[in-house]
Amino acid sequence: HVQLVESGGGSVQTGGSLRLSCSAIGEGFGRYCMAWFRQVPGKDREGIAVIDKDGRTNYADSVTGRFTVSKDLAKNSLYLQMDSLKPEDTAMYYCAADLDLRRLCLLNRNYEGFWDYWGQGTQVTVS
């Protein structure tokens, strides 16, 4: 099991940047495929970025070129660097994890049901 705790959300102006962090509490962080989702009220969660055990990444079209996902195994942490933020990026942001034993996580970026572990979310507001 792993417990995920997000931080780094806040309010920012259009065009600004934020860096979200997700701390993983538990052993074996490197064994997990990790993802970032976001959700606005009344809509489904959107999978926006994935980084697998080998460091390969996959992004939603809506954030490609603006957001960068990374991880630091020594710190048991996942990050999402968000640049050139737009009002439509306003959402609650969640990190998620899965052991991905069949190495399918990159294909399941936008499938909420694939991911076993979730954080509580951090709010990002762009105005």
Side-chain angles (χ1 to χ4, degrees):
H1 288 282
V2 64
Q3 182 181 350
L4 304 175
V5 181
E6 302 95 335
S7 61
S11 296
V12 64
Q13 292 187 337
T14 298
S17 297
L18 278 177
R19 188 194 194 206
L20 304 184
S21 298
C22 172
S23 296
I25 301 170
E27 295 183 355
F29 176 67
R31 298 164 51 201
Y32 291 88
C33 185
M34 305 295 296
W36 286 100
F37 281 73
R38 66 185 181 186
Q39 187 174 27
V40 297
K43 293 189 176 182
D44 292 338
R45 284 187 187 182
E46 176 191 16
I48 58 172
V50 174
I51 184 165
D52 75 0
K53 303 172 192 180
D54 297 324
R56 295 176 299 177
T57 58
N58 180 286
Y59 295 93
D61 290 344
S62 57
V63 305
T64 296
R66 300 187 300 121
F67 291 10
T68 304
V69 61
S70 63
K71 60 184 177 180
D72 186 332
L73 297 180
K75 295 183 178 180
N76 276 16
S77 292
L78 174 74
Y79 304 103
L80 185 68
Q81 177 66 41
M82 306 187 294
D83 299 318
S84 302
L85 283 161
K86 306 174 181 180
E88 51 263 45
D89 294 318
T90 295
M92 184 71 78
Y93 283 72
Y94 300 88
C95 64
D98 191 275
L99 281 173
D100 194 30
L101 298 177
R102 294 189 294 169
R103 308 302 294 267
L104 296 174
C105 68
L106 291 175
L107 300 175
N108 287 280
R109 171 182 48 78
N110 203 31
Y111 179 41
E112 188 177 346
F114 174 85
W115 302 89
D116 284 340
Y117 303 99
W118 292 86
Q120 82 290 347
T122 186
Q123 177 68 37
V124 171
T125 302
V126 185
S127 60

